[in-house]
Amino acid sequence: MHDVVRRIEGREHAMRDVVRRIDAATPPGRDRAVDALRALAVLGVVLGHWLVTALVADSGTVRVASPLQHLPHLAPVSWVLQTLAVFFLVGGQVGARSYLSARERGVSYRQWLRTRLGRLFGPVCALLVVWSLAAGTMLACGTGWATVHALGKLVLSPLWFLLIFAVLTAATPVAARLHPLWPLAVVLHVDLFRFGLSGPDRIGELNVVAGWLVPYCLGAAWARGSLNNRATAWALLVGGAAATTLLVLFAGYPAAMVGVPGAGISNLGPPTLAAVTFGLAQCGAALLLLDPLRRLCAGPVAWAAVALVNLSAMTVFLWHQTAMMAVTATALLTGRAVPGLHTVPDGPGWVQARVLWLPVFAAALLVCWAAFRTYEQDRAHERQRRGRTTVVRTGRPARREATRDV
């Protein structure tokens, strides 16, 4: 009994030591609320995908379904867990500040961009290699192409976000000078042409960049100090929410802010005007949360949790769908359809069962994190090494960061 108590006390002491070290390594001037917003955005995407994505086992194949197909009154769930606008808001703020800092240090645009984008390659390559081998193995073992395609699409779907994020990062020097109303006007005119004048759907692809450029430009404006008042945040929240409500009620836009299989219009594929105005409301809410998040993250325990999520953000983002699919595939070994995993998401029973599976998904994601986090952390160590090289060459110390920028 005494040995058990000593082991528990030892683990608690080690945990407190980790918390203290993370808190001590954080520069005094770092805005912890920005990291907290990023962590909330990552966790929102993960939880949202786990709740609205179902893999239905049917006639020897696996197909993707969504509870929003059968339970449209659950659309408000997507209003809370579709947090992509917050990603781009934070990305624009961090990118604009990083670019300005690089210019002040005499770093060229090409060097800055290579550093910003280089952190994506390791984690993405690891995902692509593992899933290429997995897809080949499944096909060789007789798994149907429809099943492999459905699973592969789920795995690769997060990569579109990284591609758009890379494009906007490359455009940071322009976005830093661009008013958010310009890309918003592009989205408005594209939707008017698509839906009002029955234009070709392909023109909507312009919104893939223009739609997410709106919160990215807001983030750049935030970096310039243009959004540092609560009146602006409230205007974004109230104005964005009102515009979205009107578009859903009177303009035919779907209420769900995520894609729903079989729906005629998706608010995300490509982003619609409703998705963009909803993003404005989210950005306003995020700005209003800054002060409460700063107070929360002033505590070392809360800050350690936020810092750890940020250090593994890419790993969590890329592998969370794999974790869900691993649990779903393992449960198929029981030989029957398990509620909340393989059954059609057409009733409250499925929702209740799926909620009970969330801790299991989290445990599987923890395994993925342990296996693949090195591909992300090696990049962080390389950046630290380059930072030390910069000190030697320029004589100016690089800024210490407890967590990295996504």
Side-chain angles (χ1 to χ4, degrees):
M1 181 65 179
H2 293 295
D3 291 339
V4 173
V5 172
R6 281 196 296 270
R7 283 198 296 269
I8 293 174
E9 290 176 346
R11 290 172 183 172
E12 290 178 349
H13 177 75
M15 184 62 68
R16 286 194 296 268
D17 183 59
V18 170
V19 169
R20 285 194 297 267
R21 285 192 286 114
I22 291 175
D23 191 58
T26 305
R30 187 178 185 89
D31 191 348
R32 300 183 179 191
V34 175
D35 297 282
L37 284 178
R38 184 191 294 118
L40 288 174
V42 170
L43 298 179
V45 168
V46 171
L47 188 58
H49 281 163
W50 285 352
L51 286 174
V52 303
T53 304
L55 293 172
V56 179
D58 185 14
S59 302
T61 62
V62 173
R63 59 183 175 86
V64 178
S66 171
L68 297 176
Q69 289 175 276
H70 308 279
L71 305 168
H73 60 276
L74 294 181
V77 173
S78 68
W79 305 345
V80 178
L81 299 177
Q82 197 277 80
T83 52
L84 291 174
V86 179
F87 267 120
F88 289 102
L89 174 73
V90 173
Q93 196 261 11
V94 173
R97 291 186 59 185
S98 172
Y99 178 65
L100 178 60
S101 175
R103 290 188 59 186
E104 291 175 347
R105 299 194 312 270
V107 177
S108 69
Y109 168 77
R110 181 177 298 180
Q111 291 173 315
W112 171 81
L113 185 62
R114 185 169 60 246
T115 301
R116 295 289 297 175
L117 298 185
R119 66 194 58 175
L120 304 179
F121 295 146
V124 170
C125 287
L127 180 77
L128 293 177
V129 168
V130 169
W131 267 97
S132 295
L133 295 174
T137 301
M138 285 188 287
L139 290 172
C141 293
T143 304
W145 169 251
T147 296
V148 175
H149 180 264
L151 298 179
K153 188 175 180 180
L154 277 183
V155 171
L156 297 179
S157 59
L159 298 187
W160 74 263
F161 158 79
L162 296 180
L163 178 61
I164 299 304
F165 190 84
V167 170
L168 296 186
T169 298
T172 295
V174 176
R177 297 178 174 86
L178 188 66
H179 197 284
L181 286 178
W182 288 109
L184 179 61
V186 172
V187 175
L188 171 62
H189 284 82
V190 166
D191 273 19
L192 283 175
F193 188 68
R194 286 175 66 201
F195 304 129
L197 301 177
S198 301
D201 287 339
R202 292 192 61 181
I203 197 174
E205 295 175 5
L206 293 173
N207 284 356
V208 174
V209 174
W212 299 120
L213 187 57
V214 174
Y216 197 88
C217 288
L218 278 174
W222 178 15
R224 297 193 303 268
S226 301
L227 303 181
N228 293 337
N229 62 81
R230 293 180 65 84
T232 301
W234 275 110
L236 287 170
L237 174 58
V238 175
T244 305
T245 301
L246 292 175
L247 289 170
V248 170
L249 293 179
F250 302 108
Y253 287 88
M257 290 300 151
V258 296
V260 179
I265 300 175
S266 168
N267 275 321
L268 286 186
T272 62
L273 181 62
V276 174
T277 57
F278 174 75
L280 292 176
Q282 276 193 322
C283 291
L287 293 171
L288 290 171
L289 283 174
L290 287 174
D291 287 339
L293 288 175
R294 289 186 183 111
R295 291 191 292 270
L296 177 66
C297 292
V301 175
W303 170 240
V306 168
L308 290 174
V309 171
N310 275 273
L311 286 169
S312 303
M314 274 288 294
T315 304
V316 170
F317 180 76
L318 289 174
W319 290 96
H320 72 279
Q321 296 281 54
T322 300
M324 180 191 70
M325 286 184 278
V327 174
T328 304
T330 302
L332 282 174
L333 298 177
T334 62
R336 62 184 183 88
V338 178
L341 289 182
H342 314 126
T343 53
V344 177
D346 58 357
W350 184 93
V351 176
Q352 295 170 6
R354 175 51 67 101
V355 170
L356 295 177
W357 280 107
L358 294 181
V360 184
F361 294 163
L365 180 57
L366 186 61
V367 173
C368 293
W369 170 82
F372 298 103
R373 64 188 173 89
T374 55
Y375 295 96
E376 185 172 12
Q377 294 182 354
D378 286 347
R379 293 283 175 175
H381 295 157
E382 183 180 348
R383 290 195 299 276
Q384 292 175 359
R385 179 185 60 77
R386 283 200 295 264
R388 289 192 292 269
T389 302
T390 301
V391 173
V392 172
R393 290 179 179 176
T394 67
R396 290 175 293 187
R399 184 175 58 187
R400 293 168 57 229
E401 293 189 355
T403 61
R404 64 170 181 80
D405 300 327
V406 174

